[in-house]
Amino acid sequence: MTKTKKSALMDRAMVLRAVKDSFVKLAPRTQAQNPVMLLVYISAILTTALWGFSLFGIGDAPSGYTLAIAVILWFTVLFANFAEAIAEGRGKAQADALRASKREVSARKIPSAERKDEGCECPSSQLRKGDIVLVRAGETIPADGEVIEGAASVDESAITGESAPVIREAGGDRSAVTGGTTVLSDWMVVQVTSDPGQSFLDKMIAMVEGAARKKTPNEIALQIFLVALSIIFILVTLSLYTYSLFSANQAGIENPTSVTTLVALLVCLAPTTIGALLSAIGIAGMSRLNQANVLAMSGRAIEAAGDVDILMLDKTGTITLGNRQAHAFIPVDGTAPEELADAAQLSSLADETPEGRSVVVLAKERFGLRGRSLSDKGMTFVPFTAKTRMSGVDFGGSEICKGAAEAVKAYVLAGGGRYSEACEQVVRQISEQGGTPLVVAKDHRVLGVIHLKDIIKKGVKERFADLRKMGIKTIMITGDNPLTAAAIAAEAGVDDFLAEATPEGKLKMIRDFQAGGHLVAMTGDGTNDAPALAQADVAVAMNSGTQAAKEAGNMVDLDSSPTKLIDIVRIGKQLLMTRGSLTTFSIANDVAKYFAIIPALFTGLYPGLAALNIMGLHSPQSAILSAIIYNALIIIALIPLALKGVKYREVSAGKLLSQNLLIYGLGGIVAPFVFIKLIDLLLVLLGLA
């Protein structure tokens, strides 16, 4: 998925497309999906009809005034449509790009992995779940599937936007492949896991385009609340008209309150601002998630991400860098530190693992040992094997090895050497600190121990502290023993840990937290993670993982980055904050509108109400026009905030509520007073009031 930081409002093509869609969305069926804006839509139709009648002398308001109200109401509807259309714009652009990458390709369908030489060519559209295909270098993978034999380098840039190839292979947690990606080298046998129209690419297109977006429970609840408010204001408006009619009859004068004015009052009092932006806020939240290269399989997932209070995170790659690094050389039995470092470096020259390279680097940095290379003569390297659990080098008539403590102990004792209690104690201390001890021996004599340490990612501890301020508990999941896990958890600053984690242990922990009323988020990539992912409220599956994990999760991280879970929570919370803030602003807006419209309605009947005209508006008609114009323009003004979202801050819920009430509550009260007065002055200046 191609990423872009360009704002939707700065993209000319996107804006033009949104303007066009704004008129398309005037269809009654589309308007009926938003009850609050449906009220404005009906009001626009009604005032347009009243203007038509006024041309023939039928009506209770001047035709120019009625036309102005009708035009402003139509613009209000169009502005709401534009807000939704511009929010959908980036998703539609992404969907177009994905749709362009989806094409019919030829597939070599084979009977089984053992009969690769048999089979026939067929279009990818004819493949069904369970079919087996052979894909070679340079060919496009025809459908989603699992690699059941072979391994290959795959270009997934059409899906992830990342140009670096990835390895997909049979077995393990990197066996899932996506249709539309390209094999760069080697070959593999793939078993198809989806039918036509149900592929991962099809689901991506539907989600980013918004076609599959369903309103979330919180969004539905808020909409019900807004509808209830609108019904109350309809009853209030009808009551005001009846009261005005009665008062005018009692006074023996013509009713000064026209139907057009009452319609304008209803639109101003109804929560039209949040009603117009509610859908755009939800779509923009999904878009921000898409820009982070995360595909949410439902709108409920991102909303749940904003409510989670338990984060279960893998240690490797999330909290630590994923590769242990040499931290110190600890000599024993009177060995000189330089001798230990020299032997450790020699035994690691051919070790291309990150741990091996870090031993070489540490020896250079601490003791200045340089100049050696694999080209030096007389070196015979002994590779690491799972059986020996050691590696080393034969050099200058000596045997040097390094490896797990038990393996080196057996090697030393077998050669008649001595494995001291001092060495045992160093190994035990390193393990208790959460490190990995590698014992170094030369000619069956122990020289010392290399301390390999899990390197905590920079800034992780501070991020966990921020999450704690928000009331989110962090739990580290690791296969390490409890002592090692406890040491790493303490250094990283997580709140709790699950050591020697098993699929059953993860599932039980999630269920226990949920039974206590918590919402749990976790990541996973393997088939053994699928049960826990299916149980979690927010389950982020790695795109590089197995098909089972992706089907169990409700989000897929296309970058396969374990740290993405923290960003997802931030995006979810930002969505909830934005919706809450703009709802507060919208409702607070109504307070100022009362002071603009109520005096305009009844000053003709009760001149004393002129005292409520604290804004000093020029006339009843200019007051109504100013309020209704402001009501329309504020929607356009708030579109950038709805798209970008309210700035995220790691603070407690109570402090966040106080800040929002101060900024958006007080701001929502003050803004209409200022801008309605400015619009009124402009109308007077232009001679329209």
Side-chain angles (χ1 to χ4, degrees):
M1 193 184 304
T2 303
K3 298 179 185 179
T4 176
K5 294 185 179 181
K6 189 174 183 180
S7 168
L9 290 171
M10 299 299 291
D11 190 319
R12 186 170 178 271
M14 206 174 291
V15 170
L16 291 175
R17 183 174 183 171
V19 170
K20 178 184 175 182
D21 288 346
S22 300
F23 287 92
V24 174
K25 289 176 180 288
L26 288 175
R29 181 176 295 182
T30 304
Q31 292 299 311
Q33 296 174 7
N34 189 335
V36 175
M37 295 314 299
L38 177 63
L39 178 63
V40 183
Y41 181 71
I42 293 172
S43 298
I45 294 173
L46 177 59
T47 50
T48 302
L50 290 173
W51 171 69
F53 289 135
S54 70
L55 295 177
F56 299 98
I58 305 171
D60 53 2
S63 62
Y65 171 71
T66 306
L67 175 61
I69 295 295
V71 170
I72 296 167
L73 291 181
W74 280 116
F75 270 110
T76 304
V77 176
L78 286 171
F79 290 163
N81 290 349
F82 179 79
E84 184 176 30
I86 197 69
E88 292 172 345
R90 180 172 281 117
K92 288 184 176 180
Q94 291 171 337
D96 289 343
L98 289 171
R99 199 174 281 111
S101 68
K102 184 183 176 183
R103 62 187 187 277
E104 184 81 54
V105 297
S106 179
R108 180 163 183 78
K109 185 177 175 182
I110 59 176
S112 67
E114 293 77 24
R115 298 160 63 187
K116 290 187 283 293
D117 295 334
E118 303 177 30
C120 60
E121 299 290 328
C122 71
S124 57
S125 59
Q126 294 182 9
L127 295 175
R128 296 294 183 271
K129 188 174 181 179
D131 288 344
I132 298 175
V133 296
L134 173 65
V135 191
R136 300 186 180 91
E139 296 177 352
T140 299
I141 297 173
D144 293 357
E146 289 271 359
V147 181
I148 58 175
E149 185 179 333
S153 175
V154 180
D155 176 9
E156 295 187 343
S157 59
I159 305 298
T160 65
E162 299 296 336
S163 58
V166 295
I167 301 299
R168 294 289 175 259
E169 57 189 348
D173 296 337
R174 297 182 180 273
S175 60
V177 292
T178 305
T181 57
T182 304
V183 174
L184 298 178
S185 65
D186 302 299
W187 59 271
M188 55 189 174
V189 177
V190 177
Q191 184 172 32
V192 177
T193 56
S194 65
D195 291 324
Q198 299 297 316
S199 70
F200 186 62
L201 196 58
D202 290 318
K203 292 176 182 177
M204 282 184 67
I205 292 170
M207 289 306 302
V208 301
E209 193 172 33
R213 180 183 178 269
K214 295 181 180 179
K215 291 180 180 177
T216 61
N218 283 352
E219 195 173 348
I220 292 171
L222 178 57
Q223 192 165 69
I224 291 172
F225 171 68
L226 298 179
V227 169
L229 279 181
S230 299
I231 292 172
I232 291 171
F233 287 130
I234 289 173
L235 296 176
V236 168
T237 303
L238 291 174
S239 299
L240 287 174
Y241 182 71
T242 304
Y243 180 75
S244 176
L245 190 63
F246 173 78
S247 299
N249 288 337
Q250 288 292 101
I253 61 175
E254 184 180 351
N255 184 10
T257 306
S258 66
V259 174
T260 301
T261 298
L262 285 169
V263 170
L265 169 67
L266 174 60
V267 171
C268 283
L269 296 185
T272 52
T273 305
I274 186 60
L277 298 172
L278 185 58
S279 182
I281 293 169
I283 295 170
M286 293 287 288
S287 180
R288 284 194 293 275
L289 200 64
N290 291 335
Q291 290 173 56
N293 252 13
V294 178
L295 177 65
M297 308 311 288
S298 71
R300 185 189 296 264
I302 182 174
E303 191 167 275
D307 286 328
V308 297
D309 54 358
I310 301 289
L311 246 61
M312 295 178 65
L313 304 152
D314 279 330
K315 180 200 75 173
T316 305
T318 304
I319 295 171
T320 66
L321 292 175
N323 298 312
R324 300 187 182 210
Q325 304 287 303
H327 175 66
F329 297 118
I330 305 172
V332 296
D333 302 337
T335 302
E338 292 82 359
E339 183 183 1
L340 170 60
D342 180 65
Q345 187 184 63
L346 284 170
S347 66
S348 302
L349 287 176
D351 187 350
E352 288 302 317
T353 65
E355 292 88 348
R357 289 195 295 270
S358 72
V359 172
V360 175
V361 171
L362 184 65
K364 288 179 181 179
E365 291 177 348
R366 295 281 176 88
F367 300 99
L369 298 175
R370 301 175 185 274
R372 293 191 180 95
S373 70
L374 293 176
S375 60
D376 289 347
K377 296 179 180 180
M379 288 187 178
T380 303
F381 293 100
V382 181
F384 175 87
T385 66
K387 184 177 180 180
T388 64
R389 298 175 65 200
M390 296 190 305
S391 63
V393 62
D394 295 340
F395 176 63
S398 296
E399 294 180 357
I400 302 172
C401 68
K402 75 174 192 300
E406 290 301 317
V408 175
K409 180 179 181 180
Y411 161 79
V412 169
L413 295 177
R418 172 174 168 269
Y419 193 87
S420 67
E421 176 61 31
C423 185
E424 289 273 15
Q425 186 175 356
V426 171
V427 168
R428 194 181 312 114
Q429 288 175 347
I430 292 174
S431 297
E432 289 174 353
Q433 293 170 13
T436 299
L438 288 182
V439 179
V440 180
K442 182 176 182 179
D443 297 329
H444 303 282
R445 179 174 68 90
V446 174
L447 300 180
V449 185
I450 304 170
H451 181 179
L452 292 182
K453 185 178 180 182
D454 267 312
I455 305 300
I456 305 298
K457 285 187 175 181
K458 188 176 181 180
V460 162
K461 191 168 187 176
E462 290 74 16
R463 294 185 79 176
F464 288 151
D466 290 337
L467 291 170
R468 197 173 297 112
K469 291 177 186 176
M470 297 158 49
I472 296 176
K473 182 178 182 178
T474 51
I475 299 173
M476 181 185 76
I477 304 173
T478 177
D480 292 335
N481 63 67
L483 279 176
T484 301
I488 295 172
E491 185 178 355
V494 295
D495 299 306
D496 201 353
F497 63 88
L498 176 63
E500 298 176 344
T502 62
E504 295 78 13
K506 296 177 190 178
L507 186 60
K508 183 180 183 301
M509 177 174 273
I510 292 173
R511 285 175 174 169
D512 289 345
F513 278 124
Q514 290 174 330
H518 299 281
L519 288 179
V520 183
M522 75 162 289
T523 60
D525 59 359
T527 300
N528 62 351
D529 290 323
L533 288 171
Q535 183 67 35
D537 299 285
V538 177
V540 184
M542 302 293 103
N543 188 44
S544 62
T546 62
Q547 195 67 28
K550 289 200 278 189
E551 289 176 357
N554 50 26
M555 292 187 185
V556 177
D557 176 18
L558 301 179
D559 293 331
S560 300
S561 169
T563 58
K564 195 67 71 67
L565 182 57
I566 297 175
D567 297 322
I568 290 169
V569 170
R570 297 165 78 94
I571 292 170
K573 286 194 173 294
Q574 186 182 38
L575 169 64
L576 297 180
M577 285 170 53
T578 304
R579 186 187 296 157
S581 299
L582 292 185
T583 300
T584 303
F585 184 90
S586 177
I587 294 174
N589 260 226
D590 291 342
V591 175
K593 294 173 190 174
Y594 299 151
F595 287 94
I597 296 180
I598 298 298
L601 282 173
F602 296 104
T603 301
L605 289 173
Y606 304 103
L609 288 177
L612 293 178
N613 185 16
I614 59 177
M615 286 184 273
L617 301 179
H618 180 263
S619 67
Q621 284 192 351
S622 74
I624 298 293
L625 286 171
S626 299
I628 202 78
I629 290 171
Y630 169 80
N631 197 63
L633 293 180
I634 195 63
I635 295 172
I636 288 292
L638 291 175
I639 287 177
L641 184 60
L643 296 181
K644 187 177 180 181
V646 172
K647 187 176 180 181
Y648 174 83
R649 295 180 179 86
E650 292 92 346
V651 295
S652 65
K655 190 172 182 181
L656 188 62
L657 177 62
S658 300
Q659 289 178 351
N660 283 349
L661 286 176
L662 178 64
I663 297 171
Y664 296 98
L666 184 60
I669 293 174
V670 173
F673 280 97
V674 175
F675 290 104
I676 288 176
K677 178 60 178 177
L678 290 175
I679 294 170
D680 177 72
L681 292 173
L682 184 60
L683 291 175
V684 173
L685 187 64
L686 297 175
L688 300 175

